[in-house]
Amino acid sequence: MARVQAERADAVLALATTFRLHGYEGTSLTAITAQTGLGKGSLYHFFPGGKEDMARAVLDEVGDWFRREVYEPLRADGPADQRLAAMFTAVETYFASRHLVCLFAAFALGQERDRFAAVIAAYFSEWLDALETATGDRELAADTVATLQGALILARALNDPALFPATAARAQSRAQTRARARAHPPLSS
Amino acid sequence: MARVQAERADAVLALATTFRLHGYEGTSLTAITAQTGLGKGSLYHFFPGGKEDMARAVLDEVGDWFRREVYEPLRADGPADQRLAAMFTAVETYFASRHLVCLFAAFALGQERDRFAAVIAAYFSEWLDALETATGDRELAADTVATLQGALILARALNDPALFPATAARAQSRAQTRARARAHPPLSS
DNA sequence: AGATGGCTGTACCGAACGGTACAGCCATCC
DNA sequence: GGATGGCTGTACCGTTCGGTACAGCCATCT
């Protein structure tokens, strides 16, 4: 029993890499068997729904990770500066070891968006909500997430990994400055 | 003779829509024949290199458009405010009628990135260079392009088309403000 | 030791894939 | 009114696709 869940979880980790590198359409079952080391029989035992089932498991796993490591800290107690810093640290280390690809962004661009529309929208709107909770500014939240996502694309497109943390750092100080200004408004406002 | 080029150009336009909606891997020759109204024979007459040749023609066409309508105005004479405004107007109207998908971003995320790496990198680095020329600030250029690209993803993911122009408008005023500050630095700096 | 059942590899399926070959249509030009 | 050649539809190629069927291995439990 424990063996089952452990190996399925391992498979999900390997699947995440494959889907990240090749996208949904571009991921073939052959590539999956190579990456996971599992035969088709095992795959369809763990994921009766086939490829879509596998992708959904990966999206769920990633979504849970962000919920736990990114969104919750944003809603925690403490100064906004600290909560924002926690988010940026988590996000930067996450994508640095994930080939600078956000799975949800990749799925949002292709035709697979319709198939996974609900879970994709949930991922981003939860992120926006948590950031709005931390900063009190919905527009700032949108600008921040957009900058991060765009920086991932730029870093991939220019094949310049350092561009992501550099852009993220500027977005962080901008967000912290504006959140601070909002918490302690100047007299003129 | 004129007939040839005209029909190939028409095919490229139809191809752009197909690749935008389905990505490179997700675009089948069957879908292409349906969208363009051309049989495989005609397609392989116009594009001897097959699917990759078709995609490359589309990327070239889009790249030329941006070079002409976006990058050149950024390098033109006149106040930075005006050049930036021209860029944002062109970009917003462009993507609004293109399903809010940047073809180069979509290709940068998938496995097709390697195949088209050079032309993808050229598209973004030319954009950054032109923006740096207009604002004198490389980091501002990166932040601006990243915000625009991220806003496209957010708008697609949340299925909220209005999010793109709203985010773009904030990025525009931010860029104009900072470019203005750079041109007329305050005494403290 | 024997039975159970979760798990696995392999062979295979029909469909669709990207790509090729080629006969012929039909507007142009002499 | 031929002859030319750009262009087109169609049949077909080998390969790979996602998915299924199933026999059997082997750790567990009695």
Side-chain angles (χ1 to χ4, degrees):
Chain A
M1 195 63 77
R3 195 167 136 236
V4 174
Q5 294 183 5
E7 301 205 2
R8 196 192 124 112
D10 292 346
V12 171
L13 287 184
L15 283 167
T17 303
T18 311
F19 280 118
R20 224 181 292 271
L21 288 179
H22 304 117
Y24 182 74
E25 299 287 339
T27 295
S28 68
L29 287 188
T30 304
I32 293 177
T33 58
Q35 182 89 32
T36 60
L38 295 173
K40 288 188 179 183
S42 307
L43 285 173
Y44 273 83
H45 175 75
F46 290 132
F47 310 97
K51 202 167 104 166
E52 174 169 344
D53 200 352
M54 303 177 204
R56 214 168 278 277
V58 171
L59 292 179
D60 285 347
E61 198 271 338
V62 175
D64 285 345
W65 190 93
F66 270 80
R67 223 159 276 131
R68 193 177 345 110
E69 305 288 337
V70 180
Y71 307 159
E72 263 187 38
L74 276 177
R75 282 188 283 256
D77 288 335
D81 264 30
Q82 188 176 312
R83 285 185 277 168
L84 286 170
M87 181 200 89
F88 277 91
T89 301
V91 168
E92 282 175 51
T93 56
Y94 181 86
F95 287 117
S97 62
R98 272 16 174 249
H99 306 96
L100 297 176
V101 172
C102 175
L103 211 50
F104 287 91
F107 278 33
L109 285 187
Q111 72 173 354
E112 54 266 38
R113 182 189 67 154
D114 299 340
R115 207 193 293 243
F116 303 103
V119 58
I120 291 174
Y123 170 85
F124 283 107
S125 66
E126 282 182 53
W127 196 347
L128 292 181
D129 290 347
L131 258 176
E132 184 183 0
T133 300
T135 63
D137 187 334
R138 182 76 177 182
E139 296 184 349
L140 176 59
D143 291 349
T144 303
V145 173
T147 304
L148 286 173
Q149 289 292 333
L152 286 172
I153 289 181
L154 262 184
R156 285 267 304 179
L158 297 174
N159 199 20
D160 177 10
L163 192 146
F164 177 62
T167 309
R170 292 195 298 277
Q172 176 176 351
S173 72
R174 222 178 303 133
Q176 289 175 329
T177 301
R178 287 182 56 185
R180 230 177 286 135
R182 201 167 215 286
H184 311 288
L187 298 179
S188 65
S189 172
Chain B
M1 197 64 77
R3 196 168 134 235
V4 174
Q5 294 183 3
E7 302 205 4
R8 197 191 125 111
D10 292 345
V12 170
L13 287 185
L15 282 168
T17 303
T18 311
F19 280 117
R20 222 181 294 271
L21 289 178
H22 304 117
Y24 182 74
E25 298 287 338
T27 295
S28 69
L29 288 187
T30 304
I32 293 177
T33 59
Q35 183 88 34
T36 60
L38 295 173
K40 287 189 182 183
S42 307
L43 285 172
Y44 273 82
H45 175 75
F46 290 131
F47 309 97
K51 203 167 104 167
E52 174 169 344
D53 200 352
M54 303 176 203
R56 214 168 279 277
V58 171
L59 292 178
D60 285 347
E61 198 270 337
V62 175
D64 285 345
W65 191 92
F66 270 80
R67 223 159 276 131
R68 194 178 343 112
E69 306 288 338
V70 180
Y71 307 158
E72 265 187 37
L74 276 178
R75 283 187 283 257
D77 288 334
D81 264 30
Q82 189 175 311
R83 287 185 275 167
L84 286 171
M87 181 200 90
F88 276 92
T89 301
V91 168
E92 282 176 51
T93 56
Y94 181 85
F95 288 118
S97 62
R98 296 317 195 279
H99 305 97
L100 296 177
V101 172
C102 175
L103 211 48
F104 287 92
F107 278 34
L109 285 187
Q111 73 172 355
E112 54 265 38
R113 182 191 66 154
D114 299 339
R115 207 192 291 242
F116 304 103
V119 59
I120 290 173
Y123 169 84
F124 284 106
S125 66
E126 283 181 54
W127 196 348
L128 291 181
D129 290 346
L131 257 176
E132 184 183 0
T133 301
T135 63
D137 187 335
R138 182 75 175 181
E139 297 185 346
L140 176 59
D143 291 349
T144 304
V145 173
T147 304
L148 286 173
Q149 289 292 333
L152 286 172
I153 289 182
L154 263 184
R156 284 267 305 179
L158 297 174
N159 200 20
D160 177 10
L163 192 147
F164 177 62
T167 309
R170 293 195 298 275
Q172 176 175 353
S173 71
R174 223 177 301 135
Q176 289 175 330
T177 301
R178 287 181 55 184
R180 231 176 285 135
R182 202 167 213 285
H184 311 288
L187 299 179
S188 63
S189 171

